[in-house]
Amino acid sequence: MKSYRKELWFDIPTRRAFINITPDVEQCLKESGIREGLCLINAMHITASVFINDDESGLHHDYEKWLEELAPHEPVSQYRHNTYEDNADAHMKRQIMGRESVVAVTDGKLDFGTWEQIFYGEFDGRRKKRVLVKIIGE
Ligand code: ZN
């Protein structure tokens, strides 16, 4: 069995963002040489997510609004976590949007449904953060 590991680094200039990382993961798969197997992609931070959905700007706006209704950033004093930090909402947004995604690898390609794309969800940006890509197979 072959095994491949790579970290993708991000330094998002805003507090929150959704980034399509599908091309980065496809590049990893190409580098791995793996044709059949599984690809795990996970955020390595507790205030960021990796998830799979549609690359559609209206949907990303809807996510932003929905997450802000569920866990508003302001007022930061409403959260017990915010003693020396102000990112309690980011922990909760990450919990809802998930830590990782797994994609089947078939015939050297990510075996997606029709509209599936992989996203990095940043909820407490403005610093360097990373995503782990691990691919195993033959
Ligand atoms: Zn925190």
Side-chain angles (χ1 to χ4, degrees):
M1 189 191 74
K2 281 195 236 177
S3 172
Y4 172 95
R5 181 188 190 278
K6 190 172 185 180
E7 292 174 6
L8 305 175
W9 284 83
F10 302 93
D11 193 351
I12 310 290
T14 52
R15 183 179 287 274
R16 288 189 294 277
F18 297 124
I19 311 289
N20 188 336
I21 61 169
T22 311
D24 306 86
V25 178
E26 284 172 340
Q27 181 59 35
C28 291
L29 181 55
K30 202 171 159 188
E31 286 171 18
S32 77
I34 291 168
R35 307 278 307 163
E36 295 291 328
L38 290 172
C39 177
L40 165 77
I41 314 104
N42 70 268
M44 298 181 85
H45 300 264
I46 52 181
T47 54
S49 290
V50 169
F51 62 94
I52 293 179
N53 216 298
D54 195 355
D55 193 359
E56 197 272 306
S57 61
L59 180 63
H60 296 171
H61 173 83
D62 295 340
Y63 275 145
E64 168 66 17
K65 187 168 168 284
W66 176 64
L67 289 168
E68 200 53 26
E69 282 165 9
L70 286 172
H73 177 67
E74 301 276 356
V76 295
S77 61
Q78 73 189 300
Y79 300 104
R80 288 193 190 181
H81 177 69
N82 288 341
T83 48
Y84 62 94
E85 288 187 299
D86 67 352
N87 67 1
D89 67 303
H91 288 274
M92 292 172 183
K93 286 163 177 151
R94 177 262 169 80
Q95 203 67 39
I96 290 287
M97 297 304 280
R99 171 183 181 263
E100 77 275 309
S101 293
V102 178
V103 183
V105 174
T106 305
D107 199 20
K109 294 202 168 87
L110 296 171
D111 203 341
F112 284 134
T114 308
W115 298 105
E116 288 186 326
Q117 296 281 288
I118 308 164
F119 292 89
Y120 175 67
E122 179 60 83
F123 307 117
D124 186 26
R126 302 168 300 176
R127 57 197 165 99
K128 287 185 79 179
K129 291 165 84 168
R130 63 205 161 124
V131 163
L132 176 67
V133 180
K134 180 90 182 191
I135 309 170
I136 56 170
E138 300 290 345

